[in-house]
Amino acid sequence: MSPPTSSTAAVIGGGPAGLFAAQTLAAAGVKVTVYERMPSPGRKFLLAGHGGLNITHSEDRAPFLGRYGPSADRIAPMLERFSPEDLRAWCESLGQPTFVGSSGRVFPQAFRATPLFRAWLAHLADAGVTIERRSAWSGWDADGRVLITDSSGRTRAVKSDITVFALGGASWPHLGADGSWVEPFRERGVEVTELRAANVGLRVAWSDVFAQRFAGAPLKNVSITVRGSGAPPRRGDAMLTRAGIEGGPIYASGATIRAALDAASAGDDACVLDIDLRPDVDAAELEKRLSRRRPKDSATTWLRRSVGLDPAGIGLLREAGTLPTEPAAMTALIKAVPVAVVDTMPIDRAISTAGGIAWSEVDEHLMVRRMPGTFVAGEMLDWEAPTGGYLLQASFSMGAWAADGALAWLGRDV
Ligand SMILES: Cc1cc2nc3c(=O)[nH]c(=O)nc-3n(C[C@H](O)[C@H](O)[C@H](O)COP(=O)(O)OP(=O)(O)OC[C@H]3O[C@@H](n4cnc5c(N)ncnc54)[C@H](O)[C@@H]3O)c2cc1C
């Protein structure tokens, strides 16, 4: 069923989720206005472009979906509606073809977000989408109309047939998404799970000597297990920082680490990562190699020659305490160097946000159950995923899905 041609939509938030909802609504003939609080939309998307803009991933659908953990079932139909292949085709349609990197991650060939975003804004303008900049949503009036405050502080109520909220999470708040929507939604009875840092580095109380020497050094191809969690180990490259540690395997363990930190602050055991510095070599083989120590070898030479550890790996072993001299004890340490986590870095340094509007608050079309005609999309919802293109993919797919839901709602009203 198509919506009446005179239908209007207010899309609040000009990130990937909001703009893709706007595009989908406009393509169906709806008159769309996007309200964006910042002087320009898409600031986080553009920042993501500084790292190459990993826009989606090329892996098969089952592992792809697995990245969304407990939200996978909800997100699955959205990924069918606007799939990774659709996203790549869409980039190409905007003159920005993509390629698959060696890790399976997908990037625009330009390796930047700016050309794609510029082409997208032009496409939206052609489609009749109006973007009102410096226009912040600031709540609802007594009739349920959204309130928009402009940069001069003037607030007006906006009437539209449907509203799509895509206000993002709370990481990098100076880019626009700061989580200030949480309280107004809670006040309207909508359950919002606490926003927490996801895809974020960890704080570790390194010794000064270690932090000074190894901040910025990678730990290549390690396997990281959150002790006592039962969660599977995560493989990849981690990065030592002055304050702690970050990188793919840390981000992929994010939810497990948060749970372990919560348990620790409730009095349980501390949150400890066990880092396997040689995950490709089994313990028996490691011990065999370590037993070939020459009498004159220093510990560093022994570890470098026999098992190929680099200075950062050896430094990490030393950081764990006195170095063992027995091959068996050294093997055990290399296979599980303990690193006690103090905390995550703050949310404003996180790549994304966990938590958000509870899935139980939205119907299968992403319409807020207690606000008929109001839809939500993107990081505002309670889901998370590791880095790898999964965040942007889901944001786009949810934008399309929420817009479809809104169109169905408008059509139903005819
Ligand atoms: C440094 C960095 C690198 C990243 N790299 C990648 C990557 O390579 N791949 C990947 O998949 N993901 C990446 N991400 C994550 C990705 O950018 C986000 O998941 C995605 O942008 C979320 O889209 P969204 O539309 O839900 O929210 P956002 O992009 O945050 O957009 C929300 C918009 O709403 C606006 N807004 C907020 N409040 C109001 C209000 N009251 N009124 C009006 N407007 C408002 C904001 O200004 C903003 O423009 C990265 C994130 C960061 C911080």
mmCIF file of all heavy atoms in Angstrom, residues 122-143:
data_model
loop_
_atom_site.group_PDB
_atom_site.id
_atom_site.type_symbol
_atom_site.label_atom_id
_atom_site.label_comp_id
_atom_site.label_asym_id
_atom_site.label_seq_id
_atom_site.Cartn_x
_atom_site.Cartn_y
_atom_site.Cartn_z
ATOM 1 N N ALA A 122 23.808 15.187 -2.288
ATOM 2 C CA ALA A 122 23.276 15.690 -3.563
ATOM 3 C C ALA A 122 22.070 14.854 -3.983
ATOM 4 O O ALA A 122 21.039 15.384 -4.434
ATOM 5 C CB ALA A 122 24.367 15.637 -4.638
ATOM 6 N N HIS A 123 22.179 13.549 -3.805
ATOM 7 C CA HIS A 123 21.075 12.651 -4.152
ATOM 8 C C HIS A 123 19.836 12.954 -3.293
ATOM 9 O O HIS A 123 18.706 13.004 -3.801
ATOM 10 C CB HIS A 123 21.527 11.199 -3.950
ATOM 11 C CG HIS A 123 20.444 10.198 -4.123
ATOM 12 N ND1 HIS A 123 20.020 9.773 -5.376
ATOM 13 C CD2 HIS A 123 19.658 9.561 -3.223
ATOM 14 C CE1 HIS A 123 19.028 8.907 -5.211
ATOM 15 N NE2 HIS A 123 18.786 8.763 -3.929
ATOM 16 N N LEU A 124 20.062 13.197 -2.015
ATOM 17 C CA LEU A 124 18.935 13.503 -1.127
ATOM 18 C C LEU A 124 18.262 14.815 -1.534
ATOM 19 O O LEU A 124 17.026 14.921 -1.531
ATOM 20 C CB LEU A 124 19.416 13.589 0.331
ATOM 21 C CG LEU A 124 19.807 12.258 0.986
ATOM 22 C CD1 LEU A 124 20.541 12.497 2.304
ATOM 23 C CD2 LEU A 124 18.563 11.397 1.233
ATOM 24 N N ALA A 125 19.084 15.787 -1.891
ATOM 25 C CA ALA A 125 18.519 17.078 -2.323
ATOM 26 C C ALA A 125 17.687 16.875 -3.585
ATOM 27 O O ALA A 125 16.567 17.395 -3.703
ATOM 28 C CB ALA A 125 19.640 18.084 -2.560
ATOM 29 N N ASP A 126 18.208 16.080 -4.534
ATOM 30 C CA ASP A 126 17.458 15.791 -5.765
ATOM 31 C C ASP A 126 16.131 15.101 -5.460
ATOM 32 O O ASP A 126 15.140 15.293 -6.155
ATOM 33 C CB ASP A 126 18.267 14.882 -6.699
ATOM 34 C CG ASP A 126 19.416 15.635 -7.348
ATOM 35 O OD1 ASP A 126 19.423 16.885 -7.253
ATOM 36 O OD2 ASP A 126 20.312 14.972 -7.912
ATOM 37 N N ALA A 127 16.161 14.281 -4.424
ATOM 38 C CA ALA A 127 14.945 13.529 -4.074
ATOM 39 C C ALA A 127 13.962 14.395 -3.286
ATOM 40 O O ALA A 127 12.889 13.926 -2.889
ATOM 41 C CB ALA A 127 15.335 12.295 -3.255
ATOM 42 N N GLY A 128 14.343 15.634 -3.015
ATOM 43 C CA GLY A 128 13.419 16.555 -2.350
ATOM 44 C C GLY A 128 13.515 16.552 -0.835
ATOM 45 O O GLY A 128 12.658 17.135 -0.157
ATOM 46 N N VAL A 129 14.545 15.899 -0.293
ATOM 47 C CA VAL A 129 14.697 15.880 1.172
ATOM 48 C C VAL A 129 15.280 17.226 1.633
ATOM 49 O O VAL A 129 16.268 17.706 1.088
ATOM 50 C CB VAL A 129 15.652 14.739 1.607
ATOM 51 C CG1 VAL A 129 15.963 14.823 3.103
ATOM 52 C CG2 VAL A 129 15.060 13.378 1.257
ATOM 53 N N THR A 130 14.611 17.821 2.606
ATOM 54 C CA THR A 130 15.121 19.069 3.192
ATOM 55 C C THR A 130 15.897 18.723 4.453
ATOM 56 O O THR A 130 15.427 17.921 5.266
ATOM 57 C CB THR A 130 13.933 19.985 3.580
ATOM 58 O OG1 THR A 130 13.146 20.198 2.421
ATOM 59 C CG2 THR A 130 14.405 21.306 4.156
ATOM 60 N N ILE A 131 17.090 19.291 4.586
ATOM 61 C CA ILE A 131 17.843 19.087 5.834
ATOM 62 C C ILE A 131 17.927 20.417 6.560
ATOM 63 O O ILE A 131 18.511 21.372 6.052
ATOM 64 C CB ILE A 131 19.256 18.526 5.573
ATOM 65 C CG1 ILE A 131 19.162 17.188 4.824
ATOM 66 C CG2 ILE A 131 20.007 18.358 6.898
ATOM 67 C CD1 ILE A 131 20.503 16.539 4.512
ATOM 68 N N GLU A 132 17.283 20.487 7.702
ATOM 69 C CA GLU A 132 17.378 21.696 8.535
ATOM 70 C C GLU A 132 18.511 21.510 9.528
ATOM 71 O O GLU A 132 18.435 20.658 10.416
ATOM 72 C CB GLU A 132 16.048 21.947 9.253
ATOM 73 C CG GLU A 132 14.966 22.418 8.307
ATOM 74 C CD GLU A 132 13.833 23.154 9.035
ATOM 75 O OE1 GLU A 132 13.996 23.507 10.225
ATOM 76 O OE2 GLU A 132 12.788 23.346 8.399
ATOM 77 N N ARG A 133 19.568 22.277 9.332
ATOM 78 C CA ARG A 133 20.744 22.169 10.192
ATOM 79 C C ARG A 133 20.592 23.045 11.420
ATOM 80 O O ARG A 133 19.721 23.890 11.463
ATOM 81 C CB ARG A 133 21.973 22.581 9.399
ATOM 82 C CG ARG A 133 22.223 21.645 8.219
ATOM 83 C CD ARG A 133 22.895 22.334 7.059
ATOM 84 N NE ARG A 133 22.704 21.563 5.835
ATOM 85 C CZ ARG A 133 23.660 20.894 5.207
ATOM 86 N NH1 ARG A 133 24.869 20.900 5.672
ATOM 87 N NH2 ARG A 133 23.386 20.195 4.118
ATOM 88 N N ARG A 134 21.435 22.858 12.382
ATOM 89 C CA ARG A 134 21.369 23.596 13.652
ATOM 90 C C ARG A 134 19.944 23.582 14.201
ATOM 91 O O ARG A 134 19.451 24.582 14.717
ATOM 92 C CB ARG A 134 21.820 25.047 13.466
ATOM 93 C CG ARG A 134 23.239 25.205 12.938
ATOM 94 C CD ARG A 134 23.552 26.684 12.769
ATOM 95 N NE ARG A 134 24.658 26.908 11.884
ATOM 96 C CZ ARG A 134 25.938 26.963 12.242
ATOM 97 N NH1 ARG A 134 26.263 26.800 13.501
ATOM 98 N NH2 ARG A 134 26.875 27.159 11.350
ATOM 99 N N SER A 135 19.298 22.469 14.041
ATOM 100 C CA SER A 135 17.907 22.341 14.487
ATOM 101 C C SER A 135 17.802 21.137 15.399
ATOM 102 O O SER A 135 17.791 19.991 14.939
ATOM 103 C CB SER A 135 16.978 22.153 13.281
ATOM 104 O OG SER A 135 17.061 23.281 12.440
ATOM 105 N N ALA A 136 17.777 21.405 16.696
ATOM 106 C CA ALA A 136 17.841 20.329 17.682
ATOM 107 C C ALA A 136 16.457 19.942 18.168
ATOM 108 O O ALA A 136 15.669 20.809 18.555
ATOM 109 C CB ALA A 136 18.703 20.758 18.860
ATOM 110 N N TRP A 137 16.190 18.654 18.150
ATOM 111 C CA TRP A 137 14.973 18.166 18.788
ATOM 112 C C TRP A 137 15.118 18.373 20.290
ATOM 113 O O TRP A 137 16.171 18.072 20.853
ATOM 114 C CB TRP A 137 14.788 16.684 18.473
ATOM 115 C CG TRP A 137 13.744 16.042 19.320
ATOM 116 C CD1 TRP A 137 12.395 16.174 19.199
ATOM 117 C CD2 TRP A 137 13.964 15.188 20.449
ATOM 118 N NE1 TRP A 137 11.761 15.449 20.188
ATOM 119 C CE2 TRP A 137 12.702 14.840 20.963
ATOM 120 C CE3 TRP A 137 15.104 14.699 21.084
ATOM 121 C CZ2 TRP A 137 12.547 14.010 22.056
ATOM 122 C CZ3 TRP A 137 14.954 13.868 22.187
ATOM 123 C CH2 TRP A 137 13.681 13.531 22.658
ATOM 124 N N SER A 138 14.061 18.916 20.936
ATOM 125 C CA SER A 138 14.184 19.195 22.371
ATOM 126 C C SER A 138 12.990 18.678 23.164
ATOM 127 O O SER A 138 12.758 19.121 24.281
ATOM 128 C CB SER A 138 14.382 20.703 22.588
ATOM 129 O OG SER A 138 13.400 21.445 21.881
ATOM 130 N N GLY A 139 12.224 17.759 22.591
ATOM 131 C CA GLY A 139 11.129 17.153 23.353
ATOM 132 C C GLY A 139 9.837 17.174 22.556
ATOM 133 O O GLY A 139 9.851 17.285 21.321
ATOM 134 N N TRP A 140 8.723 17.033 23.268
ATOM 135 C CA TRP A 140 7.411 17.026 22.625
ATOM 136 C C TRP A 140 6.533 18.081 23.292
ATOM 137 O O TRP A 140 6.706 18.385 24.475
ATOM 138 C CB TRP A 140 6.733 15.679 22.813
ATOM 139 C CG TRP A 140 7.393 14.518 22.132
ATOM 140 C CD1 TRP A 140 7.137 14.074 20.863
ATOM 141 C CD2 TRP A 140 8.372 13.624 22.675
ATOM 142 N NE1 TRP A 140 7.923 12.968 20.591
ATOM 143 C CE2 TRP A 140 8.688 12.678 21.682
ATOM 144 C CE3 TRP A 140 9.046 13.538 23.889
ATOM 145 C CZ2 TRP A 140 9.611 11.661 21.871
ATOM 146 C CZ3 TRP A 140 9.974 12.516 24.088
ATOM 147 C CH2 TRP A 140 10.246 11.595 23.090
ATOM 148 N N ASP A 141 5.571 18.607 22.540
ATOM 149 C CA ASP A 141 4.592 19.484 23.199
ATOM 150 C C ASP A 141 3.426 18.642 23.723
ATOM 151 O O ASP A 141 3.426 17.401 23.592
ATOM 152 C CB ASP A 141 4.147 20.624 22.261
ATOM 153 C CG ASP A 141 3.245 20.144 21.126
ATOM 154 O OD1 ASP A 141 2.890 18.926 21.096
ATOM 155 O OD2 ASP A 141 2.881 20.979 20.275
ATOM 156 N N ALA A 142 2.440 19.321 24.294
ATOM 157 C CA ALA A 142 1.351 18.592 24.936
ATOM 158 C C ALA A 142 0.553 17.760 23.934
ATOM 159 O O ALA A 142 -0.081 16.759 24.294
ATOM 160 C CB ALA A 142 0.431 19.584 25.650
ATOM 161 N N ASP A 143 0.606 18.143 22.642
ATOM 162 C CA ASP A 143 -0.114 17.375 21.621
ATOM 163 C C ASP A 143 0.741 16.279 20.989
ATOM 164 O O ASP A 143 0.339 15.668 19.999
ATOM 165 C CB ASP A 143 -0.609 18.316 20.505
ATOM 166 C CG ASP A 143 -1.586 19.357 21.045
ATOM 167 O OD1 ASP A 143 -2.347 18.993 21.967
ATOM 168 O OD2 ASP A 143 -1.557 20.511 20.579
#
